[in-house]
């Protein structure tokens, strides 16, 4: 008995599809076979350094990774690892730069250039906070997530503690000073918010953190004023008066004639226009936080109207990127 025409057609299609699938499975893709090193380690390192001199980071990465893979115990292995950190940083691949720095520190803790790995790790963590679209807006660092710069701060602490005479110690200390100001401002942003919603204890805790951990920052006067104001609102007159006396001694302009705290002066608030436009217009010339950030995204006081109206997205002046020095030569 013959099959109906439509069944015959479906059977033929099914057999065709099955045959095609069998054919595909019997002809798998060719696997890439590692044929081993194509050059000596001297040729690899020379080629990498020539590429670095020309700023050809992709080409340099190819030679350095080959050197690191095929000659892990060779004469140039550690130098290749140091240069790979630098290349990854220049390519803005901060995560891999950090990973390579941590690997170098773990494998070569006594290496004479280990301080460079500590420094790269800190700078790369610091730069991660400025990566992405937020880097091109007018938002301050203190209004963003500060987790990376907290890690960077600790990285620089480790560098200075282990290598106080390092050539990178001075720059690391400057970066720590800047990060301290950013972290203090981050705490005070939260304290101001808590004052607005009358969360006096929360505001006092934020201000106290600034006094204890960032006492040398420009936020210290406002933190003291916030503590005095918050304790007064909580009904603890004695503690409030203690902070008022500190203000009289160190910042007398922040205490009014009647003995109350001048929070407005402590905050150095802008005009009503500045507050109403979220800081875009009516901005004063003097900033609350003096930027001392070395070689990273300095904030300009004089921005064009277009830049301010577009929240910093348009007509933004060119700004220098973090200047990571080239890795030192092997000692």
């Amino acid at each position: 008995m013959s099959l109906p025409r439509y069944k015959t057609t479906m059977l033929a299609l099914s057999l065709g599809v099955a045959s095609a699938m069998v054919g595909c499975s019997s002809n798998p893709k060719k696997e890439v076979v590692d044929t081993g090193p194509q050059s000596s380690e001297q040729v690899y390192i020379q080629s990498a350094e020539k590429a670095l001199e020309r700023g050809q980071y992709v080409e340099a990465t190819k030679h350095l990774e080959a050197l690191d893979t095929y000659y892990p115990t060779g004469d140039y292995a550690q130098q290749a690892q140091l240069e790979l950190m630098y290349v990854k940083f220049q390519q803005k691949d901060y995560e891999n730069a950090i990973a390579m720095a941590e690997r170098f520190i773990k494998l070569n803790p006594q290496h004479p250039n280990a301080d460079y790995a500590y420094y790269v790790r800190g700078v790369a963590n610091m730069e991660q906070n400025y990566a992405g679209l937020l880097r091109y807006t007018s938002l301050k660092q203190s209004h963003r997530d500060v987790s990376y710069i907290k890690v960077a701060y600790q990285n620089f602490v480790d560098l200075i503690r282990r290598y106080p005479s390092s050539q990178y110690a001075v720059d690391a200390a400057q970066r720590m000073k800047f990060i301290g100001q950013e972290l203090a401002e981050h705490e005070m942003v939260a304290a101001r918010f808590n004052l607005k919603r009358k969360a006096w204890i929360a505001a006092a805790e934020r201000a106290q953190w600034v006094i204890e951990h960032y006492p040398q920052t420009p936020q210290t006067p406002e933190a003291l004023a916030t503590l005095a104001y918050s304790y007064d609102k909580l009904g603890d007159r004695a503690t409030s008066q203690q902070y008022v006396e500190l203000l009289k001694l160190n910042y007398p302009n922040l205490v009014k004639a009647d003995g109350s705290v001048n929070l407005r002066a402590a905050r150095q608030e802008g005009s009503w226009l500045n507050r109403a436009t979220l800081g875009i217009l009516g901005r004063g010339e003097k900033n609350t936080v003096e930027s001392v950030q070395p070689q990273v995204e300095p904030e300009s006081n004089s921005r064009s109207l277009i830049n301010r109206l577009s929240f910093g997205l348009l007509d933004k002046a060119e700004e220098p990127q973090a200047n990571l020095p080239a890795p030192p030569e092997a000692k």
Side-chain angles (χ1 to χ4, degrees), residues 177-178 181-182 218-219 268 287-293:
K177 182 179 179 181
F178 170 78
Q181 291 187 18
E182 292 291 270
Q219 287 77 14
Q268 295 182 340
N287 291 329
T288 303
V289 182
E290 179 187 359
S291 176
V292 296
Q293 184 179 13

Side-chain angles (χ1 to χ4, degrees), residues 120-328:
V120 170
R121 184 175 63 172
V123 177
N125 267 312
M126 196 172 179
E127 279 296 288
Q128 287 216 97
N129 244 62
Y130 299 92
L133 291 176
L134 283 177
R135 185 181 190 109
Y136 303 99
T137 71
S138 57
L139 289 176
K140 292 182 180 179
Q141 177 58 55
S142 54
H143 297 155
R144 311 175 190 174
D145 175 36
V146 294
S147 57
Y148 282 119
I149 59 173
K150 284 183 178 180
V151 175
Y153 188 92
Q154 188 57 50
N155 293 156
F156 294 134
V157 168
D158 292 343
L159 168 62
I160 293 174
R161 185 179 69 247
R162 292 173 181 271
Y163 305 98
S165 302
S166 168
Q167 60 180 312
Y168 311 110
V170 173
D171 185 69
Q174 278 193 306
R175 291 176 182 274
M176 286 175 64
K177 182 179 179 181
F178 170 78
I179 292 173
Q181 291 187 18
E182 292 291 270
L183 294 176
E185 180 64 13
H186 182 73
E187 294 297 325
M188 292 312 302
V189 167
R192 293 169 202 139
F193 172 76
N194 286 319
L195 287 178
K196 287 181 179 179
R197 65 188 188 97
K198 301 182 179 180
W200 314 122
I201 294 177
E205 287 176 347
R206 294 285 189 165
Q208 187 66 43
W209 186 267
V210 172
I211 299 300
E212 291 179 0
H213 296 277
Y214 314 112
Q216 304 301 319
T217 60
Q219 287 77 14
T220 297
E222 183 184 354
L224 289 172
T226 300
L227 283 166
Y229 186 84
S230 297
Y231 278 112
D232 181 67
K233 290 296 183 181
L234 288 167
D236 188 346
R237 310 291 186 201
T239 303
S240 175
Q241 190 58 37
Q242 289 178 4
Y243 287 111
V244 169
E245 293 300 323
L246 279 174
L247 287 170
K248 286 181 178 178
L249 184 63
N250 296 283
Y251 311 101
N253 60 308
L254 302 185
V255 181
K256 297 179 182 179
D258 61 0
S260 61
V261 176
N262 190 345
L263 269 182
R264 185 181 181 85
R267 294 175 186 170
Q268 295 182 340
E269 290 185 336
S271 65
W272 67 269
L273 180 61
N274 180 261
R275 297 194 301 274
T277 58
L278 302 180
I280 301 174
L281 302 176
R283 186 176 181 182
E285 289 299 318
K286 187 175 182 180
N287 291 329
T288 303
V289 182
E290 179 187 359
S291 176
V292 296
Q293 184 179 13
Q295 305 168 344
V296 182
E297 197 178 26
E299 184 176 337
S300 173
N301 288 334
S302 56
R303 294 160 31 190
S304 70
L305 179 61
I306 295 176
N307 181 258
R308 285 177 285 169
L309 289 176
S310 62
F311 292 90
L313 293 173
L314 302 177
D315 195 28
K316 188 177 178 68
E318 291 294 324
E319 56 189 23
Q321 302 298 311
N323 183 20
L324 183 70

